[in-house]
Amino acid sequence: GAQDVEAMKVVLAAEQVKLEEATTNTNKMLESLKQSSAEAQKEGDQVAGIKAKCEEDTARIGEEKASCARDLAKAQPFVDQANAAIDSIKPAHIGEIKKLANPSDIIKLVFDCVLILFNGPLAKITPSNLTVAKTDIPLFEPSFKPQALQMMSNPNFLNQLVEFGNTGKESMND
């Protein structure tokens, strides 16, 4: 008996050493797992923050898109009218304007706008009073003569005007 107890004490002491070593290794592994878990939690929090920001951006962009769609819907009838007006212009109409000795000021101003849209040359800015809708308006001398007349004399002017209506207006803000 006593010998068996002593032998068991030796075996138990050896097993105690193994247990302590296993406990140490387990504690190290648990510590490593805790650290990995903390890092994963930190990364998870960062991802959650990024996700929340993306969701906010998505909502904001959706609102902006809806607002733009509403604005476009309001503007579309005017775009359609302008396209129809461009399509209705005939070469005879341009010839008629070129024949006018002194067209109305509104016609001159419209052609200043066309010159601007086509990046054409404008006359030197000099103050002038123009009459629009029977009202005198202090403005500037239009560039109708000679710049707009020269532009209308171009045989491709009507085609350029139609092309601008079809595609050129898309690059106005460029």
Side-chain angles (χ1 to χ4, degrees):
Q3 229 178 0
D4 287 340
V5 170
E6 285 303 317
M8 287 179 99
K9 283 184 181 178
V10 170
V11 169
L12 188 59
E15 290 300 318
Q16 182 64 33
V17 169
K18 288 181 186 177
L19 179 63
E20 288 174 7
E21 187 178 306
T23 301
T24 302
N25 288 339
T26 302
N27 287 339
K28 285 179 183 178
M29 190 182 332
L30 283 174
E31 191 58 38
S32 175
L33 287 173
K34 284 181 186 176
Q35 185 177 357
S36 294
S37 177
E39 289 172 6
Q41 181 65 41
K42 183 178 177 183
E43 284 183 27
D45 291 346
Q46 288 175 341
V47 168
I50 292 169
K51 179 183 176 190
K53 175 74 170 111
C54 288
E55 288 171 348
E56 288 173 17
D57 288 348
T58 299
R60 179 183 49 78
I61 290 168
E63 291 170 10
E64 288 176 10
K65 181 180 176 184
S67 175
C68 289
R70 287 190 300 272
D71 290 346
L72 180 60
K74 289 177 190 174
Q76 192 60 50
F78 298 107
V79 172
D80 294 342
Q81 285 178 339
N83 286 334
I86 288 173
D87 291 341
S88 73
I89 298 172
K90 306 290 180 233
H93 297 138
I94 294 170
E96 188 178 322
I97 292 173
K98 288 191 324 190
K99 289 179 187 174
L100 295 174
N102 191 24
S104 66
D105 288 340
I106 192 69
I107 290 174
K108 294 175 183 177
L109 288 173
V110 166
F111 274 93
D112 271 11
C113 293
V114 173
L115 283 165
I116 291 168
L117 289 174
F118 285 2
N119 291 318
L122 296 172
K124 182 180 176 187
I125 301 295
T126 55
S128 179
N129 284 323
L130 302 180
T131 303
V132 177
K134 299 181 183 179
T135 303
D136 284 341
I137 301 171
L139 209 57
F140 54 86
E141 189 63 35
S143 298
F144 190 78
K145 292 181 182 175
Q147 286 85 352
L149 287 174
Q150 289 172 350
M151 178 179 61
M152 286 188 289
S153 295
N154 180 339
N156 290 320
F157 174 65
L158 183 54
N159 291 335
Q160 290 172 334
L161 204 55
V162 170
E163 181 61 28
F164 181 83
N166 291 335
T167 60
K169 65 184 177 289
E170 305 300 330
S171 63
M172 281 178 35
N173 291 330
D174 292 347

